[in-house]
Amino acid sequence: MREVSFIKQNKEKWLAFEKAIFNNDFKDADELASQYIQVINDLAYAQTYYPKSKVIVYLNQLAAKAFQKIYKTKREDTNRLISFWKTEVPLICYQYRKFIYVAFIIFFSFVFIGAISAANDGEFVRSILGDNYVDMSIENIEAGDPVAVYKSGSNWGSFIGITINNLKVGIIAFILGVFGGIGTLYILFKNCIMLGSFQYFFYEKGVFWESVRGIWIHGAMEIFAIVIEAAAGLILGASILFPATFSRMTSFKQGAKTGVKILISTFPFTLSAGFLEGFITRYSNIMPHWLSVSIIIITLSIITYYYLIYPFIVQKKITQNPAPETP
C-alpha cells in the first residue's frame, strides 16, 4: 500500500483516538487497550514500509499518550507514585524531547553570552552580581577559599533556604511560560547570564578549577533541573501559540498538565541539590579532588540519564511490548 493511501485510510481513526484520549472518552479500559493495540500495529506497519515517514513520529507520540492513559486506569493506587517517575514522566520527556533539546541549546547560548560579556567588559560582572558580592568573592579568593560563600549559615538553614529559592525559580520559570514562553526565556536568560559571568570571573582570577569543584557539586543537579523546568515552560507557551487540531483552551489545558508533571519531576533533584549545597559543598576546598569530581560526575550522570536517556529506553520497551495488562 502506498503511504498516502495508508494515511488516508487511517487518518480519521487516529484523530478520533487522539481526541478520545484527551477527553477520556472511553467506555472501559478494554476499549482503550484494544484501540491502543491498533495504533501499535499501524506504527509497526509504518516502520516496516515507510521507515523515513513523519507518520512514524506522530504514531509514536499517539502510542505514548495512550500508554500513559492506560497506566492511569490501573487500580494499583499504591504504585501510582512509582509509575509516575518510572513510566509516565519518561514517556512525556520522550514525546516532548525537542523542547528539552531546545532548552539546553538556549541555556548554553545564554551562558556563552554571559561569559563573553564578562570577558569584554570589566564592569559587567559587577553589574550582574553586584559590588558587594564581587568584593566578597575577591576577598575569599585572596584568603585561599574562592567558594567560601557556601560556608555561610548553618547546614540546615542553608539547605532549607537554598531549596526554597530553587523551587521558586523553577516554578516561576514554568508559570511565566503562559506568556508564549517569553517569560520562561527571561528567567533562563537571567540565570544563565549570571552563571556565565560568574564562572568567567573565577577563570579571570585564576581559580576556575577551584570554583568548578565547589559550584558544580550541587550545581549539576540544580542547574540541570532549571533547564528542564524551562522546557516545561516552553511546552506551556507552545500549547498556547500552536494549538494544532485542538481549541486554544483545550491545548492550553493539555500543555499545563504536561508541564506541571515535568515540573514536579524535577523537585527531587532540586531537593538533592539543596542538600548537597547545604551539607557538602562547604567542604569542597578540603575534600580530595577525586571525591569532589566523583560527586559531580555521579549527580550529573543521574539526572542526565533520567531526562535524556531513560525516556528512550521506556519508549522502546512499550513499542516492543504493545499490550500492557489492564484491569
Side-chain angles (χ1 to χ4, degrees):
M1 183 187 303
R2 295 178 59 188
E3 181 182 355
V4 174
S5 300
F6 172 71
I7 295 175
K8 185 176 181 180
Q9 178 179 308
N10 295 285
K11 182 179 179 179
E12 291 186 7
K13 177 183 68 176
W14 297 336
L15 291 175
F17 185 47
E18 183 177 11
K19 291 182 178 180
I21 289 173
F22 182 77
N23 296 318
N24 200 25
D25 186 19
F26 291 97
K27 296 179 181 178
D28 51 45
D30 290 335
E31 179 188 359
L32 172 59
S34 175
Q35 294 192 39
Y36 169 75
I37 292 173
Q38 292 181 38
V39 170
I40 288 295
N41 289 336
D42 291 340
L43 173 60
Y45 186 91
Q47 289 174 329
T48 302
Y49 295 100
Y50 322 115
K52 298 182 179 181
S53 173
K54 292 183 179 179
V55 74
I56 294 176
V57 177
Y58 171 75
L59 291 176
N60 253 320
Q61 295 176 348
L62 185 57
K65 291 178 183 177
F67 190 77
Q68 293 169 32
K69 186 67 69 174
I70 289 173
Y71 260 73
K72 288 180 183 178
T73 64
K74 289 192 171 184
R75 293 194 179 101
E76 295 89 348
D77 294 335
T78 55
N79 294 328
R80 181 67 183 88
L81 198 60
I82 295 176
S83 66
F84 175 76
W85 268 279
K86 184 179 179 181
T87 305
E88 190 171 353
V89 171
L91 284 175
I92 290 174
C93 289
Y94 178 85
Q95 180 181 347
Y96 292 92
R97 60 192 182 279
K98 290 183 180 179
F99 286 90
I100 295 177
Y101 299 158
V102 168
F104 270 106
I105 292 172
I106 294 172
F107 164 77
F108 286 117
S109 298
F110 285 167
V111 170
F112 179 74
I113 291 173
I116 290 298
S117 298
N120 288 278
D121 183 352
E123 296 300 314
F124 184 78
V125 175
R126 289 184 177 274
S127 67
I128 296 297
L129 301 175
D131 289 332
N132 291 335
Y133 193 88
V134 172
D135 291 338
M136 178 187 64
S137 297
I138 292 175
E139 290 177 5
N140 291 336
I141 292 172
E142 292 174 348
D145 192 359
V147 290
V149 63
Y150 297 114
K151 295 182 179 180
S152 60
S154 65
N155 297 96
W156 281 104
S158 297
F159 165 53
I160 294 172
I162 291 164
T163 300
I164 291 175
N165 179 71
N166 290 340
L167 289 172
K168 184 172 69 173
V169 170
I171 292 171
I172 292 175
F174 167 67
I175 292 175
L176 291 184
V178 74
F179 298 107
I182 301 299
T184 297
L185 291 177
Y186 169 74
I187 296 298
L188 195 58
F189 177 79
K190 181 179 177 181
N191 284 274
C192 290
I193 292 295
M194 188 181 300
L195 175 62
S197 60
F198 190 50
Q199 284 285 211
Y200 183 83
F201 168 76
F202 284 114
Y203 168 77
E204 188 178 43
K205 298 299 180 181
V207 289
F208 179 75
W209 172 240
E210 289 80 358
S211 72
V212 167
R213 288 179 58 212
I215 296 170
W216 291 93
I217 283 178
H218 61 271
M221 281 190 172
E222 176 186 304
I223 295 170
F224 202 121
I226 290 176
V227 176
I228 299 300
E229 289 154 358
L234 294 177
I235 291 172
L236 179 62
S239 71
I240 299 172
L241 297 176
F242 311 106
T245 58
F246 299 106
S247 68
R248 201 169 298 277
M249 179 55 68
T250 299
S251 178
F252 169 70
K253 290 179 179 179
Q254 184 177 5
K257 185 184 295 184
T258 298
V260 166
K261 289 178 180 179
I262 295 177
L263 175 67
I264 292 174
S265 76
T266 66
F267 289 173
F269 297 105
T270 301
L271 288 169
S272 298
F275 174 83
L276 289 170
E277 187 168 352
F279 289 88
I280 308 298
T281 298
R282 63 180 61 228
Y283 304 113
S284 64
N285 68 316
I286 59 175
M287 68 173 60
H289 285 209
W290 67 265
L291 181 57
S292 57
V293 172
S294 295
I295 294 173
I296 293 171
I297 292 175
I298 291 171
T299 54
L300 184 59
S301 297
I302 290 172
I303 194 168
T304 299
Y305 176 80
Y306 184 73
Y307 285 107
L308 299 183
I309 300 174
Y310 185 59
F312 284 87
I313 295 175
V314 175
Q315 175 67 19
K316 184 177 180 181
K317 182 178 180 181
I318 68 168
T319 54
Q320 292 177 343
N321 301 277
E325 294 180 1
T326 56

